[in-house]
Structures are given as structure tokens and as C-alpha cells.
Amino acid sequence: MNTVEDRIRAATRAAANTVPPDGVPPLRLPTAGPTRRHRRARRARRWQLNLGSYRPRWTPWLTPAAAALAVVVIVVAVVGIGHSVHHSGGTGTRPATTHPGPAVPGTTAGPPVSAYVDSGQIPPYYLAIAPPSAATGIPAAADVRATISGRTLATIEPTAAHRAIVAVTAAADDRTFVLAEQAAAAGTGAEYGQAIAFYLVRLSSAGQPGPLTRLPESVPAGQLMTGLALSPGGSELAIAIQPGHAGAASATQEIKVYPLGGGPVRTWSGDGIIGASDDATSLSWADSQRTLAFNWQSGQVASVRLLNLESAGGSLLANSRQVMSVAAELTQPAGLSVITPDGSAIVYAASPLARADSKLPHAYTTSGFAEFSTATGRVTRILGSWSGPEAVNVLWSDANGRVLIGIIASADHTYVGVISGNTFTPLNDQANTAAPDTSTW
């Protein structure tokens, strides 16, 4: 069978299978007993909440699935979009499962990655931060990879020696990317002392990068970048900034939106926390470009809020509304969340609840990728609901959240893969990625 026939068959199967994969069972609460946790440590981009006794604070109208989700850790953030970059225009139909992909322990094998790419459901290319360099011990370059094979097609090097690419974000076309570059420095607090520059790069249809274009935007030395997201159309860049790390400045968070074609910069500010150092996963855009989702922590409560980008700037809280929150009792080391491009849902990776003393108050072992309606706050769907493997992060979503790219931990390994319905297909050649949540579509 030739390549054209392969594509026709994959497209035909995808079109035929138009029944959405909504028959996923809700999260179930197993009987009490010891639970083994094997969450992979992420970079220091996780919020921390203090834990008292566990008493969920979900509103009574939440569905049973949401009630079950109240007792799991919600891993928010982010990412790198998606990262927070998550904007493909896929239809959300599932490809055929005649030839499933490789199985990951504890999951149901899904179609091969090629079926998703050939049918246009996931993007063909992605960027990943390369492994640390031998000279600095810091990830320095960004690899352009083929989604099907995982093969590195090209490597984008920093603009000068002893500089490092620390974050990447993408537009919806899977061709336009912005790279954040900083002087390579190690040690606690080093990230505050280095200015961050931004570069635009476009990929050819064959996945080859063009020249880097320096953008006028920057993060000054002494400030901390805690979020980065390129708009779906590639026309605006959203950056979350902590103005300082001492005194009152450490409690203030700003979101700035820069028009890349020139024009006034809009700024929203408030007291709280968004993301962490060099975080490209804590902000995500809806395709309308009128809404920006951001992770937010104020005091002991973590939430996801939607910022109205039609406002001129001002108060971060007054110009946004809360969609989801996590009870103060959760220890919530939160990671990535993304808004679906159509703006209908927030996708969370939810895993078993942990306490501050690392003990489980309950033996809940089921996790999954839960989707909360942006209109009602209710759980509308849970993808990848498995007992054993943990849903760690979500990196990308198709238009309406029916096909995801995310991270799970299973059998003491971490996998990046495609989630559809209750199936999981790992990507190929993941061993050469420094940190899986730096992969950006």
C-alpha cells in the first residue's frame, strides 16, 4: 500500500467514525487501601497549597464525575500551552483503531500516531527543549520534531554562546513559534538576574526553520517570566511577569499582551501567583483571541480564570472571571491547564490526592483528563480515565477537547502521547527530550 492509499484509508476511517468518544466512565472511587504514587517530578513550576483535613468544597450542582474529581489532585499550569499552545483546527473525530499503537501499562491502546496526523487531527510538527548542554548543564537549544516519528528534523541554536532557549510557544498554524532566550545561568535566584529576549521563527512545510527574527518585547533583568503564550493567529504575545522577588513586588503578578505588529501594550495586574520561572504552560488562548486562560493562586486557593482581552487593561481580577477552583485543603502541586480553542472547556489533568505529609487520606487511584465547561464550571467529559496510571499534564487540545496530547506516568515511566476517548498512544522517540512538558505544538 502506498502513502496516498494510507492517507485515503486513514481519512476515510476518521470520517466514518463520527460518533464522539463520550462513553467514558466517570472517575470511580475504589475501596480504601494503600495507594502507590509515582508522579514524576516536574520542574519547579507547580503551585503549593497547604493541607489541613480533607473536606471538598465543591458546589452541590456538580455532577458525580465532578464530585469524584474533587478528591483528586488537579495538575494545572503550562506549559508551552500550548504548553499552553494547543490550537489545531482538528474536527475531533476519532481515527479507526484497526491498527492500534503500542500499549502503555494500565492504559487502552489507541490508534497509531500516524493515523491522527494523516487525518489532520493533531499537528505534524512540534518543538521541544533539547537536553542540557555539556558545557553549561542547561537546556540550550530547541529541536524541531516530526510528531509521527519523533525524529529531530532540525535544531534551533541560541543566538550566542552561553545563552539558552528557556521556553517555546506556538500559534495555531503549527508553523509559527516564539522562543524565549536568556543568558545561561544556574543557581537559586539566577533566573531573576537575566533579561529574556524573544525571537520569532517560522517552519516550512517540510518542518525546516527559517531565520530567527528578534522581537522588540523583552522581560527586563530582575523580573521573572511566569507565563508565555503566542496568540492563535500569531499576532499577539501574552507574557506573565512577576516584577520582583522581594517585598511587595513578589506578591504582584502582571499579564502583558504585546501586538507583534506594533501598537499599545495592555497590562493587567493583581496580587497572586501565575505559573513559575520560565513557564510556557500557565497561559492559553481561545481561538477568538478575546479570552486568555491563566492559572491563578491567591492565598491557599488555586484556580483557573478567564481574562477578557477586550478590556483595555487594569485590574487582573476585575477583568477576569473564575472558571475552576481547588479547595484550600488540597496540597495541589498544580501544573498545566489549557482552554480548548473553541473556548468551551478547561482541560485538567487530574491525579490522586496527596497530603502535605505524602500520605493519602483516601485510596483513590483513578485519574483522567477532566474537562470543565467554561459556561457552567461543571465536568462535561473525562478522557483517559484509568486506574493506576496518573494523568500528569495536558499539553495540547484539538478544537473542542475530543483529542488531547498529554503526559501520563505509568509503571515508573513518563509518557507523552495522544488521548482520545479512553485510549492512549505514546509518541515515538521520547528519550531525547529534557523535560516532556517543554514539548510545544
Side-chain angles (χ1 to χ4, degrees):
M1 185 182 299
N2 58 37
T3 301
V4 174
E5 291 172 340
D6 283 338
R7 290 174 180 266
I8 293 174
R9 285 176 183 270
T12 301
R13 289 172 181 147
N17 191 9
T18 56
V19 179
D22 296 337
V24 180
L27 298 180
R28 293 184 296 274
L29 310 183
T31 57
T35 300
R36 177 186 178 194
R37 292 187 56 80
H38 45 257
R39 181 184 304 280
R40 287 282 180 171
R42 302 182 64 223
R43 298 188 305 170
R45 63 172 58 172
R46 295 181 166 185
W47 304 332
Q48 294 295 328
L49 300 183
N50 296 326
L51 180 74
S53 58
Y54 174 69
R55 295 182 299 277
R57 293 182 180 174
W58 299 85
T59 50
W61 43 258
L62 288 180
T63 65
L69 207 63
V71 294
V72 297
V73 160
I74 305 292
V75 183
V76 190
V78 86
V79 226
I81 121 188
H83 124 285
S84 42
V85 179
H86 51 76
H87 305 89
S88 170
T91 62
T93 57
R94 288 180 60 187
T97 57
T98 304
H99 304 289
V104 171
T107 69
T108 301
V113 174
S114 58
Y116 289 104
V117 174
D118 290 344
S119 59
Q121 294 187 85
I122 64 174
Y125 306 116
Y126 67 98
L127 262 62
I129 302 294
S133 68
T136 65
I138 298 174
D143 290 335
V144 181
R145 299 201 179 167
T147 302
I148 291 178
S149 65
R151 183 169 62 90
T152 297
L153 305 176
T155 297
I156 303 173
E157 300 288 349
T159 59
H162 305 295
R163 293 187 65 81
I165 295 172
V166 296
V168 182
T169 179
D173 62 2
D174 198 44
R175 296 290 190 276
T176 306
F177 294 81
V178 167
L179 312 175
E181 185 186 87
Q182 191 175 37
T188 303
E191 63 270 18
Y192 288 99
Q194 309 295 329
I196 297 177
F198 298 97
Y199 294 86
L200 182 74
V201 63
R202 290 188 170 90
L203 305 184
S204 70
S205 59
Q208 294 301 306
L212 296 180
T213 301
R214 174 72 182 268
L215 298 176
E217 295 74 31
S218 65
V219 176
Q223 298 187 5
L224 184 67
M225 182 180 74
T226 60
L228 179 68
L230 183 61
S231 67
S235 60
E236 294 181 294
L237 186 65
I239 306 174
I241 297 172
Q242 188 182 92
H245 63 286
S250 64
T252 300
Q253 186 73 60
E254 296 177 343
I255 291 181
K256 294 180 177 291
V257 173
Y258 297 87
L260 299 188
V265 178
R266 289 170 292 162
T267 302
W268 297 264
S269 62
D271 291 341
I273 298 172
I274 297 176
S277 173
D278 299 335
D279 196 344
T281 65
S282 59
L283 307 176
S284 57
W285 294 75
D287 271 346
S288 66
Q289 300 195 165
R290 297 193 298 268
T291 300
L292 183 75
F294 64 96
N295 299 330
W296 182 251
Q297 181 180 342
S298 179
Q300 295 181 344
V301 178
S303 62
V304 174
R305 302 184 66 91
L306 301 182
L307 178 63
N308 176 16
L309 295 178
E310 295 184 311
S311 61
S315 169
L316 191 56
L317 297 184
N319 289 284
S320 67
R321 65 181 178 89
Q322 180 176 295
V323 179
M324 280 293 306
S325 67
V326 181
E329 291 84 358
L330 301 179
T331 106
Q332 183 56 6
L336 182 71
S337 71
V338 297
I339 189 171
T340 56
D342 66 4
S344 65
I346 295 293
V347 185
Y348 270 111
S351 289
L353 175 70
R355 292 170 53 108
D357 57 8
S358 299
K359 296 180 180 179
L360 290 173
H362 303 284
Y364 301 138
T365 59
T366 303
S367 64
F369 294 86
E371 301 182 8
F372 292 81
S373 167
T374 55
T376 67
R378 302 186 185 189
V379 175
T380 59
R381 179 168 47 226
I382 300 173
L383 275 63
S385 179
W386 305 296
S387 180
E390 295 186 39
V392 176
N393 278 332
V394 56
L395 303 177
W396 179 92
S397 169
D398 73 349
N400 50 27
R402 297 183 184 275
V403 178
L404 310 173
I405 298 175
I407 304 174
I408 69 168
S410 177
D412 296 321
H413 292 280
T414 300
Y415 301 88
V416 180
V418 184
I419 301 98
S420 179
N422 208 36
T423 68
F424 181 81
T425 303
L427 300 187
N428 297 303
D429 192 24
Q430 300 182 47
N432 294 324
T433 301
D437 53 1
T438 65
S439 299
T440 301
W441 283 262

